[in-house]
Amino acid sequence: MKKIMDVFFFVFLTFCMLTNSSLSLAYAALGLRLWYEKMVPVLFPFMVLSGTLIRMGLVESLIRPIRPFFGKLFRISDPAVYTILMGFLCGFPMGARTTAEFRNRQELSVAEGQFLLAFCNNFGPVYFLGFVLPLLHRTLKLPYLMGMYGIPVIYGLFLRYTVYRMRLQDTSMVSQPVTQSPVRTSLPDALDDAVNAAGLSILRLGGYMIFFNLLNLLPGLFLHQSHLLAPLLEITGGLQMLADRYPLYTLLLLPFGGLSGIAQTAACIRNTGLSLKKYIIHKLVLTLLTAFYYLGWRLLSPDTFLL
């Protein structure tokens, strides 16, 4: 039955594309344009740089200034500290991609990788401050930064000292010897491997953005308020369609990231032993916590709410 439903869906989608070719082209072109203009310039350099550092075994040297704080705060290994740094500063999907790279090199345990995925695979500040807030025409910055990044950090700390308290203690003895002696690669080889891997990843990201933007064709044909579903399919294209009409709705969608983001994360962590189901659950929890945060803001300071 599942195979029949899958075949029916893709046959139906093909039929809709053929009978609405102009609209299909417009949705696909939107995904391609946003990928080329918003994602490639921001993510590709970070992907190459991060991959090169990991392959050359320079992570420990890079994070040395922040290791005493983050390492003791979260009680995690050097690769995990670096993953948090990349996940929060460079943005989605660098958190998942960096976690997967360390898992493939056996420098992170499954438990540590699952813990990191729970809170550090978010949209980066360049995307948030340069695209989302200007799109919503918001004047305040700090409350939105707290909602976007403060909540995941607090959630990560909560998980570290509750759910993962014993799990990471049990696995640290296994992962630590590996992290002390990472496999090092020369600069030319590391750069070449990093460029190849980053190129594949950025092309995959573009493919998902185009495909999930194209899926907007279906609700667009049958639903009156179809633009409300667009960010659930592909967040960047969907936000472009919504513009500033529903700011709170937009802010609550960002922690989840859309189905395209879920699919991209699944591609990143394939064959790493990490659970996509657990990742989705944590994203839903973060979305709920974000809703409580904005509710609290509304109750405590209604005069400044969503300014």
Side-chain angles (χ1 to χ4, degrees):
M1 181 60 69
K2 184 179 182 299
K3 289 183 179 180
I4 295 175
M5 294 299 295
D6 290 342
V7 170
F8 173 79
F9 171 76
F10 284 104
V11 169
F12 180 68
L13 178 60
T14 303
F15 173 78
C16 292
M17 290 170 57
L18 293 175
T19 55
N20 300 271
S21 56
S22 298
L23 192 57
S24 300
L25 180 61
Y27 281 127
L30 174 64
L32 178 61
R33 179 173 61 83
L34 290 172
W35 170 74
Y36 177 75
E37 293 180 355
K38 304 295 183 182
M39 295 301 173
V40 175
V42 173
L43 286 179
F44 186 74
F46 283 116
M47 287 181 175
V48 173
L49 179 61
S50 176
T52 303
L53 290 171
I54 291 173
R55 287 164 175 80
M56 293 185 66
L58 298 178
V59 168
E60 183 180 355
S61 300
L62 178 69
I63 67 167
R64 188 169 295 150
I66 63 172
R67 178 72 173 90
F69 176 73
F70 279 93
K72 292 180 180 179
L73 183 65
F74 285 95
R75 293 166 55 204
I76 49 178
S77 63
D78 287 353
V81 173
Y82 179 77
T83 301
I84 292 176
L85 184 68
M86 290 294 103
F88 278 90
L89 293 184
C90 302
F92 178 88
M94 283 300 295
R97 189 175 184 274
T98 307
T99 301
E101 283 193 303
F102 280 126
R103 274 295 302 141
N104 290 332
R105 292 167 61 86
Q106 299 298 309
E107 294 183 46
L108 283 179
S109 66
V110 173
E112 203 166 17
Q114 202 72 61
F115 164 69
L116 293 169
L117 273 182
F119 72 99
C120 72
N121 192 37
N122 310 297
F123 292 106
V126 173
Y127 179 90
F128 186 65
L129 295 174
F131 174 68
V132 176
L133 291 187
L135 184 70
L136 299 178
H137 300 105
R138 303 297 99 181
T139 56
L140 294 177
K141 295 291 187 296
L142 187 59
Y144 298 106
L145 289 172
M146 177 60 192
M148 189 68 204
Y149 303 108
I151 290 175
V153 169
I154 294 172
Y155 184 60
L157 287 171
F158 171 78
L159 290 176
R160 179 62 186 92
Y161 292 98
T162 55
V163 177
Y164 287 91
R165 180 184 177 188
M166 298 304 298
R167 295 183 192 180
L168 296 193
Q169 284 181 343
D170 292 341
T171 57
S172 61
M173 297 302 295
V174 177
S175 61
Q176 192 169 353
V178 181
T179 61
Q180 289 177 343
S181 302
V183 178
R184 299 177 184 270
T185 308
S186 65
L187 175 58
D189 291 340
L191 181 61
D192 184 62
D193 290 344
V195 168
N196 288 333
L200 178 61
S201 296
I202 204 71
L203 285 174
R204 179 186 290 141
L205 172 61
Y208 279 115
M209 290 186 68
I210 293 170
F211 177 73
F212 279 92
N213 270 288
L214 179 60
L215 289 183
N216 283 305
L217 176 67
L218 299 181
L221 291 176
F222 302 105
L223 298 176
H224 177 61
Q225 298 286 340
S226 60
H227 59 283
L228 292 175
L229 295 179
L232 291 173
L233 294 174
E234 201 286 308
I235 190 75
T236 304
L239 296 187
Q240 192 88 348
M241 295 179 196
L242 284 180
D244 61 350
R245 283 176 285 184
Y246 308 100
L248 182 58
Y249 178 60
T250 294
L251 293 166
L252 294 181
L253 288 174
L254 289 172
F256 180 68
L259 295 180
S260 176
I262 299 295
Q264 293 167 44
T265 301
C268 288
I269 65 174
R270 186 177 295 126
N271 301 322
T272 62
L274 302 175
S275 169
L276 181 66
K277 180 180 178 180
K278 292 180 180 179
Y279 170 76
I280 295 173
I281 292 173
H282 287 301
K283 297 303 281 185
L284 292 173
V285 172
L286 281 172
T287 301
L288 183 62
L289 292 175
T290 304
F292 283 125
Y293 168 77
Y294 283 105
L295 175 62
W297 183 7
R298 175 69 176 84
L299 294 175
L300 294 174
S301 184
D303 294 338
T304 65
F305 183 60
L306 295 186
L307 286 180

